[in-house]
């Protein structure tokens, strides 16, 4: 069947539009034409790059795991995957693989099969854990009678990433307060830098020192730049506008620098931006993502805005408060995003900005979706901690909340919709179950 489809696709391609293959990547006029060849709707995670067939398909039409691993292998490794292919190399596991070939990504994730697809591109029925763990209640009496479609409910287990859910972790964080004593996020790099380097050790550039050729200079732009973190860090106009960093400012002036112009100094931000849903089209060599191409609800008047660094940062005067909230809601228009402004987190964020709250005590959209690491680097991949939701526990919530409170909140679908305004209405039982388990072992 697959073969047949590919052959007919190939023949149609040759016959109908010989240039289609060549035109597919990046050419938007070819896009509407080539969706005809998609056997069904592509998953939420990949719809942006669905026109780039070759990202996943080999020239003969087949798909191998290697394509998935090329893009996702690193992240699964970092997430300490609970079920990596290597776990099944041991011959004693062979009988399990007869039921479900867990060494192959395509056993559980396929594409263009809308009617089979659950969230996160999963295409196996939700009770599939049963195939390998039907005996679980033998060792774990607490699991007797649990439904087999409940194993992967929020707050219990995930198939891949259990970093916030494994037993010793749950045990270690049992009994923590809902809100910790000093609820704080790490500071941004620039904040750390300004706090550690005395003013006398810095040598900011002034407007007079800008090195753009006169025909590209306006007083307004120059004043904005002179007031920016770049001028403060002695980064001149040529730092971004010159393709040839060794020549003087006038030679090879690039009028509209793209994200690559930032990479020389901000490679971490550029790399992480490119692997999330804001930058993945650019990474695939396609035109930038725009709200018009989105499946999520977006503001109509933002339809044609392009997602690059300038979508959130005015390159001449980056404003971090603007980037962390105002920029986001200028595009996003779903109920979660709209509700944020009424949450107590937003109040904390306003207090931080006005100086009433300590640095790091506020919670903006970016606090949750673009968290800072200990060194103050800002994660620019909004999907890094997005799904499954417990990924956000360690990177964000636990800076300020206890684990029980965090898991309860993340498991509550209503709180997702109202952006965590109000307490959770449900309780994840895992921490209690782990406590009982360790106590019963002690007794034995
Ligand atoms: C993100 C990866 C990805 C992209 C991009 C992608 N596909 Fe697929 N496609 C898959 C996977 C995975 C399968 C399932 C393969 C399997 O089951 O062996 C598949 C299956 C197919 C099939 C076979 C369907 C069937 O019923 O067996 C066709 C035809 C197909 N894709 C066409 C396309 C075309 C045409 C494009 C580009 C316009 C495209 N795909 C882009 C991943 C992708
Ligand atoms: C060209 C790179 C690329 C290839 C090839 C690719 N993916 Fe992805 N995938 C992405 C990006 C980018 C995202 C969106 C960001 C994210 O969720 O991490 C994504 C998202 C996903 C998601 C999460 C969906 C969600 O709703 O959260 C799953 C699951 C996934 N990919 C599995 C696969 C599998 C299985 C394959 C092989 C058939 C594959 N990917 C091939 C880049 C790729
Ligand atoms: C036995 C089924 C199964 C197999 C095999 C499998 N996955 Fe998954 N995958 C899932 C399930 C279920 C989820 C939903 C989240 C969870 O439970 O971890 C998921 C989620 C994901 C995600 C998004 C969430 C995350 O934690 O990053 C990615 C990416 C992903 N899978 C990639 C892959 C790749 C690449 C392979 C092959 C190396 C693979 N998966 C093999 C079942 C499977
Ligand atoms: C194809 C078989 C297979 C499937 C399907 C499967 N598992 Fe597993 N799982 C294993 C194997 C094998 C181990 C390792 C056990 C061992 O080392 O003896 C394991 C280990 C685990 C562990 C212990 C993890 C640890 O810390 O070592 C948990 C929890 C778990 N699985 C839950 C699940 C859940 C939940 C699902 C469904 C979302 C699932 N498994 C689906 C085979 C499977
Ligand atoms: C941090 C990198 C960076 C620095 C430093 C920088 N620029 Fe730019 N500049 C850009 C980017 C990126 C664009 C494209 C803006 C966009 O995409 O909308 C741009 C656009 C421009 C434009 C196009 C006009 C417009 O519509 O905004 C002019 C003129 C310009 N810059 C002049 C300057 C001058 C003069 C300086 C120094 C005083 C300077 N730039 C410093 C990154 C920079
Ligand atoms: C020549 C090096 C250089 C280039 C090129 C460069 N930057 Fe920077 N940028 C810096 C330095 C140095 C800082 C301040 C200290 C730090 O964060 O490392 C900074 C800070 C920033 C900040 C933080 C501002 C704040 O107030 O916290 C943003 C945002 C930023 N840059 C965006 C960009 C963008 C977008 C581009 C590309 C259009 C770019 N930068 C190009 C060197 C550069
Ligand atoms: C979706 C909006 C968005 C996009 C797109 C975006 N940024 Fe950012 N960026 C932010 C936010 C928000 C912060 C600050 C978060 C905070 O305060 O913790 C930030 C912070 C930064 C910083 C300062 C971090 C530090 O170390 O002090 C740099 C540098 C930066 N971005 C560069 C870039 C570059 C380069 C690009 C393009 C590849 C880019 N950003 C694209 C929203 C964005
Ligand atoms: C220029 C418009 C624009 C801006 C500004 C913007 N976004 Fe997005 N965002 C998008 C688009 C478009 C998508 C992809 C939606 C889709 O594919 O359906 C997206 C995707 C996302 C996703 C992934 C959603 C998912 O389901 O996988 C998150 C999370 C997100 N944005 C958060 C933010 C945050 C936080 C900010 C501000 C720091 C921000 N965005 C700024 C347009 C924007
Ligand atoms: C307290 C942390 C937090 C704050 C603040 C927050 N979010 Fe989220 N957001 C989440 C979590 C957690 C999810 C995923 C929930 C899930 O899948 O269960 C999410 C999901 C999303 C999604 C995906 C929506 C979907 O339907 O799949 C987008 C887009 C998004 N957030 C944007 C934003 C924007 C824009 C803001 C600010 C106006 C914001 N978020 C504020 C935690 C937060
Ligand atoms: C910088 C610290 C900080 C971070 C990070 C943070 N919170 Fe909060 N959150 C607070 C504080 C402080 C309160 C109490 C506010 C109050 O009572 O006025 C709160 C309140 C809440 C509430 C109750 C809201 C109400 O109105 O009753 C929920 C639910 C919540 N947070 C969930 C989360 C989740 C989920 C995350 C991670 C995705 C998270 N928070 C991240 C500091 C934080």
């Amino acid at each position: 069947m697959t073969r047949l489809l590919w052959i007919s696709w190939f023949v149609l391609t040759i016959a109908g539009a010989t240039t289609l293959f060549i035109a597919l990547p990046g050419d938007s006029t070819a896009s509407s034409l080539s969706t005809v060849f998609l056997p069904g709707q592509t998953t939420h995670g990949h719809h942006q790059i669905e026109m780039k067939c070759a990202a996943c398909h080999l020239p003969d039409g087949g798909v191998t795991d290697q394509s998935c691993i090329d893009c996702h292998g690193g992240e699964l490794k970092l997430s300490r995957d609970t079920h990596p292919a290597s776990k099944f190399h041991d011959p004693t596991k062979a009988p399990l693989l007869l039921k479900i070939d867990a060494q192959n990504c395509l056993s559980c994730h396929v594409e263009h099969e809308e009617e089979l697809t659950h969230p996160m591109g999963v295409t196996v029925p939700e009770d599939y854990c049963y195939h390998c763990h039907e005996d679980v209640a033998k060792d774990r009496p607490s699991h007797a009678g649990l439904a087999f479609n409940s194993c992967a409910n929020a707050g219990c287990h995930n198939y891949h990433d259990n970093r916030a859910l494994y037993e010793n972790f749950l045990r270690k964080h049992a009994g923590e307060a809902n809100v910790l004593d000093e609820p704080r996020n790490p500071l941004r790099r620039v904040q750390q830098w300004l706090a550690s380097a005395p003013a006398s050790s810095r040598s900011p550039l002034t407007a007079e020192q800008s090195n753009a050729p006169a025909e590209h200079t306006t007083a307004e732009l120059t004043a904005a730049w002179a007031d920016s973190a770049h001028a403060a860090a002695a980064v001149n106009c040529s730092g971004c506008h010159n393709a040839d960093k060794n020549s003087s400012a006038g030679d090879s002036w690039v009028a509209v620098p793209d994200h690559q112009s930032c990479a020389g100094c901000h490679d971490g931000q550029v790399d992480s931006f490119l692997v999330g849903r804001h930058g993945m089209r650019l990474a695939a060599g396609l035109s930038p993502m725009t709200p018009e191409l989105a499946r999520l609800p977006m503001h109509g008047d933002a339809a044609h805005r392009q997602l690059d660094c300038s979508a959130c940062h005015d390159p001449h005067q980056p404003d971090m408060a603007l980037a962390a909230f105002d920029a986001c809601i200028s595009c996003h228009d779903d109920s979660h995003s709209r509700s944020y402004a009424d949450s107590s987190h937003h109040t904390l964020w306003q207090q931080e900005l006005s100086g009433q709250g300590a640095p790091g005590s506020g919670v903006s959209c970016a606090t949750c979706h673009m968290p800072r690491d200990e060194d103050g680097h800002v994660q620019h991949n909004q999907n890094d901690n997005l799904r499954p939701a417990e990924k956000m526990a360690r990177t964000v919530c636990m800076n300020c909340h206890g684990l029980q409170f965090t898991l309860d909140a993340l498991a509550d679908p209503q709180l997702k919709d109202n952006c965590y305004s109000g307490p959770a209405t449900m309780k994840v039982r895992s921490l209690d179950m782990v406590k009982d388990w360790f106590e019963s072992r002690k007794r034995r």
Side-chain angles (χ1 to χ4, degrees):
M1 176 60 187
T2 311
R3 254 326 96 164
L4 201 73
L5 265 168
W6 273 97
I7 290 167
S8 48
W9 175 69
F10 192 70
V11 169
L12 277 168
T13 304
I14 302 283
T18 324
T19 52
L20 189 61
F21 227 152
I22 304 156
L24 277 179
D27 188 331
S28 56
T29 53
S31 296
S32 51
L33 195 60
S34 44
T35 37
V36 173
F37 300 109
L38 283 166
Q41 204 181 43
T42 310
T43 55
H44 193 63
H46 296 137
H47 80 96
Q48 292 189 18
I49 56 166
E50 66 184 6
M51 283 313 124
K52 180 113 180 182
C53 317
C56 302
H57 287 281
L58 299 168
D60 73 354
V63 180
T64 65
D65 273 10
Q66 195 51 47
S67 69
C68 317
I69 293 164
D70 286 346
C71 290
H72 293 290
E75 112 207 32
L76 286 180
K77 209 169 178 173
L78 279 177
S79 72
R80 290 195 248 137
D81 193 353
T82 305
H83 295 92
S86 58
K87 208 166 209 170
F88 299 93
H89 290 341
D90 174 353
T92 62
K93 302 289 183 327
L96 299 179
L97 298 178
L98 293 177
K99 296 177 189 160
I100 183 159
D101 178 6
Q103 288 182 309
N104 189 340
C105 315
L106 302 180
S107 302
C108 303
H109 301 281
V110 289
E111 267 304 344
H112 330 303
E113 300 257 21
E114 199 188 351
E115 45 317 322
L116 295 183
T117 312
H118 307 293
M120 281 176 280
V122 177
T123 42
V124 277
E126 45 177 17
D127 63 354
Y128 74 98
C129 314
Y130 170 80
H131 293 308
C132 301
H133 295 294
E134 57 183 322
D135 295 339
V136 62
K138 268 195 206 148
D139 298 333
R140 309 270 164 164
S142 59
H143 283 55
L146 292 180
F148 268 104
N149 62 1
S150 71
C151 324
N153 278 358
C156 295
H157 303 286
N158 293 316
Y159 184 73
H160 295 295
D161 185 344
N162 288 291
R163 277 175 295 179
L165 300 172
Y166 67 92
E167 281 164 332
N168 285 328
F169 189 75
L170 296 172
R171 185 190 194 190
K172 185 170 158 206
H173 293 280
E176 287 171 341
N178 288 351
V179 179
L180 304 181
D181 282 345
E182 265 204 21
R184 291 277 196 288
N185 300 301
L187 296 184
R188 216 168 55 241
R189 235 169 82 93
V190 171
Q191 293 172 310
Q192 295 185 359
W193 174 60
L194 292 176
S196 65
S200 58
S201 74
R202 293 180 238 135
S203 40
L205 296 173
T206 60
E208 292 69 45
Q209 290 169 296
S210 87
N211 66 2
E215 67 269 30
H216 296 297
T217 316
T218 67
E220 206 186 336
L221 269 179
T222 306
W225 163 81
D227 191 33
S228 74
H230 285 124
V235 177
N236 216 320
C237 316
S238 59
C240 299
H241 281 280
N242 250 30
D244 179 358
K245 305 280 184 224
N246 296 321
S247 67
S248 70
D251 313 338
S252 74
W253 177 265
V254 177
V256 184
D258 66 7
H259 61 284
Q260 291 303 351
S261 72
C262 322
C265 304
H266 302 302
D267 56 335
Q269 286 86 349
V270 175
D271 291 349
S272 55
F273 166 75
L274 289 174
V275 292
R277 302 234 344 227
H278 285 150
M280 67 190 284
R281 279 180 60 88
L282 282 173
L286 302 167
S287 60
M289 184 61 183
T290 60
E292 189 185 22
L293 301 173
R295 285 188 184 168
L296 290 175
M298 298 277 155
H299 281 291
D301 56 6
H304 303 296
R305 287 184 52 199
Q306 299 198 329
L307 266 157
D308 51 23
C309 310
S310 310
C312 301
H313 302 298
D314 174 348
H316 302 114
Q317 200 171 27
D319 175 337
M320 296 296 99
L322 199 115
F325 168 45
D326 308 66
C328 320
I329 46 154
S330 69
C331 292
H332 286 276
D333 196 24
D334 53 284
S335 78
H336 165 87
S337 304
R338 282 199 308 267
S339 305
Y340 165 73
D342 298 324
S343 68
S344 51
H345 286 149
H346 180 236
T347 310
L348 293 167
W349 171 240
Q350 285 177 311
Q351 286 168 348
E352 179 182 337
L353 290 181
S354 70
Q356 267 174 280
S361 64
V363 183
S364 66
C365 312
T367 304
C368 294
H369 292 292
M370 306 181 65
R372 308 160 185 165
D373 68 16
E374 284 305 318
D375 298 327
H377 295 295
V378 173
Q379 172 60 262
H380 274 63
N381 171 5
Q382 281 79 8
N383 287 87
D384 183 62
N385 69 359
L386 187 64
R387 288 188 205 96
E390 299 84 33
K391 280 191 178 182
M392 224 178 257
R394 287 170 67 119
T395 48
V396 182
C397 317
M398 289 178 71
N399 287 332
C400 306
H401 295 291
L403 182 60
Q404 177 78 55
F405 179 88
T406 296
L407 292 181
D408 292 349
L410 291 173
D412 190 333
Q414 235 173 304
L415 285 191
K416 179 198 169 190
D417 283 349
N418 71 19
C419 206
Y420 308 93
S421 321
T425 53
M426 56 192 291
K427 184 169 180 223
V428 169
R429 287 172 50 208
S430 310
L431 281 102
D432 290 342
M433 285 164 84
V434 160
K435 191 164 158 255
D436 293 346
W437 162 249
F438 281 108
E439 275 172 8
S440 74
R441 277 218 317 200
K442 232 192 289 170
R443 281 199 299 273
R444 266 188 275 149

